[in-house]
């Protein structure tokens, strides 16, 4: 039998060549893992809804199943849809990123004698605030301008994600232990990213039902909770993908991601769009 070990055991990650064996038209037997003695992938018998629920509950087994043992190919569609959701939040000035930028840039307008802002924050950050101001759109209700703004935010979000994936992949490659047999392809990382990025969908309730009456505090708490959850999902998915945790690499990449977005939007508004 040709050994093509493309599948993984969802319990221990050991590569396997088959998930089940068929004994006739209606009899099949799930493969057992010789390393951990468990069933290689119990999820192939489960309903997709159950798999989805386990994904939401951050089950590593379900993540192994989706990333390695399924025929799921629509990662690109998922990727683009999730970028659109994130863009929508940015475009409405309704996201954790906007709250952070607003409070950061608010220090500038708050008072001239704000010594922290004037001395600690470098000029390169301070003069980017104009692009993120709330008024920059509300004074102009032109549909074309609003549509253009959506493209700007889309490119900005997308650049942030590219920055995030490349930084994280680079850091994980740099810190890879010599003994590690995991050789992770960028494609696998992008798949993992798309899967983990589904946590963005939890911002939707606020984007859909939140309105002018929703207090800033409620929004901040909601988005902070989603961010914390998101961080855990990313940490777990990337642990599955790389075979080891990378909390510091993840935090560094996330920071760089938001820095990239923070700078791309003003650049686009100035030079191109
Ligand atoms: Zn196993």
């Amino acid at each position: 039998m040709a050994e093509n070990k493309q599948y993984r055991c969802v319990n221990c990650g050991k590569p396997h060549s088959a998930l089940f064996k068929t004994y006739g038209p209606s009899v099949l037997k799930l493969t057992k893992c010789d390393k951990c003695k468990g069933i290689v992938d119990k999820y192939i018998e489960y309903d997709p809804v159950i798999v989805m629920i386990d994904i939401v509950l951050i089950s590593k087994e379900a993540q192994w199943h989706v990333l390695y043992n399924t025929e799921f190919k629509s990662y690109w569609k998922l990727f683009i849809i999730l970028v659109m959701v994130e863009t929508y939040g940015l475009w409405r000035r309704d996201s954790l990123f906007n709250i952070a930028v607003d409070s950061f840039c608010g220090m500038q307008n708050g008072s001239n004698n704000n010594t922290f802002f004037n001395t600690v924050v470098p000029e390169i950050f301070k003069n980017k605030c104009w692009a993120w101001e709330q008024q920059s759109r509300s004074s102009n209700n032109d549909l074309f301008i609003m549509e253009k703004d959506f493209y700007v935010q889309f490119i900005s979000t997308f650049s942030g994600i590219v920055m995030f994936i490349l930084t994280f992949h680079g850091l994980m490659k740099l810190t890879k232990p010599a003994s590690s047999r995991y050789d992770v392809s960028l494609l696998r990382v992008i798949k993992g990213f798309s899967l983990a990025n589904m946590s963005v969908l939890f911002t939707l309730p606020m984007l859909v039902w939140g309105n002018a009456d929703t207090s800033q505090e409620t929004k901040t708490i909601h988005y902070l909770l989603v961010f914390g959850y998101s961080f855990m999902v990313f940490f777990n998915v990337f642990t599955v993908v790389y075979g080891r945790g990378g909390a510091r690499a993840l935090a560094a990449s996330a920071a760089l991601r938001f820095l990239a977005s923070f700078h791309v939007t003003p650049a686009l508004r100035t030079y191109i769009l």
Side-chain angles (χ1 to χ4, degrees), residues 217-244:
E217 236 172 30
T218 315
K219 281 187 178 177
T220 311
I221 291 169
H222 179 100
Y223 290 137
L224 274 177
L225 285 176
V226 174
F227 184 79
Y229 171 76
S230 198
F231 193 90
M232 287 199 305
V233 174
F234 271 101
F235 178 78
N236 277 282
V237 167
F238 283 141
T239 307
V240 164
V241 170
Y242 287 93
R244 66 204 163 90

Side-chain angles (χ1 to χ4, degrees), residues 32-205:
K32 278 211 172 154
C33 178
D34 45 348
K35 187 180 171 192
C36 67
K37 311 290 175 211
I39 290 166
V40 170
D41 191 346
K42 59 181 180 180
Y43 283 104
I44 54 170
E45 286 196 324
Y46 283 27
D47 193 85
V49 176
I50 307 278
V51 180
M52 270 313 296
I53 292 173
D54 279 3
I55 286 282
V56 171
L57 295 174
I58 325 184
S59 144
K60 274 208 177 94
E61 288 88 355
Q63 292 166 352
W64 275 112
H65 167 73
V66 173
L67 284 172
Y68 290 88
N69 301 345
T70 58
E71 295 289 311
F72 185 62
K73 292 256 179 357
S74 311
Y75 285 102
W76 280 109
K77 288 179 200 163
L78 188 64
F79 183 91
I80 296 295
I81 290 168
L82 294 172
V83 176
M84 300 268 261
V85 172
E86 257 184 277
T87 305
Y88 179 68
L90 269 184
W91 177 75
R92 277 190 28 159
R93 304 286 189 273
D94 194 356
S95 70
L96 189 63
F97 182 63
N98 288 108
I99 293 172
V101 170
D102 283 350
S103 60
F104 168 77
C105 289
M107 287 192 281
Q108 190 177 30
N109 312 323
S111 59
N112 286 331
N113 50 10
N114 189 322
T115 42
F116 169 75
F117 192 85
N118 286 326
T119 54
V120 179
V121 180
E123 216 42 53
I124 190 165
F125 289 109
K126 279 190 263 187
N127 54 29
K128 294 284 155 59
C129 282
W130 61 269
W132 293 99
E133 270 165 26
Q134 298 274 5
Q135 310 88 286
S136 62
R137 203 185 67 219
S138 53
S139 55
N140 218 329
N141 276 328
D142 190 332
L143 263 181
F144 175 71
I145 303 259
M146 285 170 76
E147 193 189 320
K148 205 179 76 173
D149 193 43
F150 192 85
Y151 300 140
V152 170
Q153 301 295 7
F154 184 87
I155 299 170
S156 173
T157 309
F158 188 79
S159 324
I161 290 173
V162 170
M163 176 65 121
F164 174 80
I165 293 177
L166 292 182
T167 311
F168 187 76
H169 193 53
L171 283 174
M172 290 305 272
K173 264 193 164 341
L174 274 178
T175 56
K176 181 182 162 187
S179 59
S180 172
R181 38 184 192 84
Y182 279 90
D183 203 23
V184 184
S185 69
L186 193 58
L187 188 68
R188 184 78 66 192
V189 182
I190 293 169
K191 285 179 176 181
F193 177 87
S194 306
L195 183 67
N197 207 26
M198 290 220 282
S199 47
V200 161
L201 295 177
F202 283 97
T203 59
L204 275 179

